Amino acid sequence: QVQLVESGGGLVQFGGSLTLSCTASRSPLSLFSMGWYRQAPGTQRESVATIITGVTTKYHESVKGRFTIAADNDKNAVYLHMANLKPEDTAVYYCHAAILHSDYRFTDLWGHGTQVTVSS
């Protein structure tokens, strides 16, 4: 069973920066995408940034120009560099990976989450 381990959350001031890291415990057979979701209290979990097949990136509209996602395929890792942080970015951030099987089914993997708090 592949596990995702996150690190890098914490408390930062408005306008500050943080980088989140996520590493898969072993190399998945077919990793389709990796990315980050977030969930603030009382809200639904939302996709923040995704990198597909290590190349194509997608961002939530609210983080475009501020967040950058990158993957290190050799390390089975994905990073989220967050700059110009705002209080509304405060949430638990979850690492996500989608495994594509030979029968075209997907398996979703989730990390345990890391708290990001932006003070005003």
Side-chain angles (χ1 to χ4, degrees), residues 82-105:
M82 306 181 291
N84 191 20
L85 282 160
K86 305 175 182 180
E88 51 263 44
D89 295 317
T90 295
V92 178
Y93 284 69
Y94 297 90
C95 181
H96 170 262
I99 309 301
L100 177 61
H101 299 279
S102 58
D103 60 358
Y104 301 103
R105 291 182 301 110

Side-chain angles (χ1 to χ4, degrees), residues 47-104:
S47 176
V48 176
T50 302
I51 186 163
I52 301 169
T53 62
V55 177
T56 303
T57 57
K58 296 176 63 178
Y59 294 95
H60 190 280
E61 192 65 34
S62 67
V63 307
K64 285 182 179 178
R66 300 188 298 122
F67 291 11
T68 303
I69 190 169
D72 184 333
N73 295 328
D74 291 337
K75 296 181 178 180
N76 301 309
V78 65
Y79 309 95
L80 184 69
H81 180 65
M82 306 181 291
N84 191 20
L85 282 160
K86 305 175 182 180
E88 51 263 44
D89 295 317
T90 295
V92 178
Y93 284 69
Y94 297 90
C95 181
H96 170 262
I99 309 301
L100 177 61
H101 299 279
S102 58
D103 60 358
Y104 301 103

Side-chain angles (χ1 to χ4, degrees), residues 103-119:
D103 60 358
Y104 301 103
R105 291 182 301 110
F106 283 96
T107 296
D108 291 310
L109 302 177
W110 294 96
H112 292 296
T114 184
Q115 176 71 44
V116 172
T117 303
V118 184
S119 63

Side-chain angles (χ1 to χ4, degrees), residues 2-7 20-25 31 33-39 45-46 48-51 69-70 76-80 92-98 108-114:
V2 179
Q3 294 183 330
L4 302 177
V5 179
E6 304 130 325
S7 63
L20 305 182
S21 301
C22 172
T23 303
S25 57
L31 185 60
S33 69
M34 292 189 78
W36 295 90
Y37 284 67
R38 68 185 179 188
Q39 188 169 20
R45 191 173 297 188
E46 63 182 9
V48 176
T50 302
I51 186 163
I69 190 169
N76 301 309
V78 65
Y79 309 95
L80 184 69
V92 178
Y93 284 69
Y94 297 90
C95 181
H96 170 262
D108 291 310
L109 302 177
W110 294 96
H112 292 296
T114 184

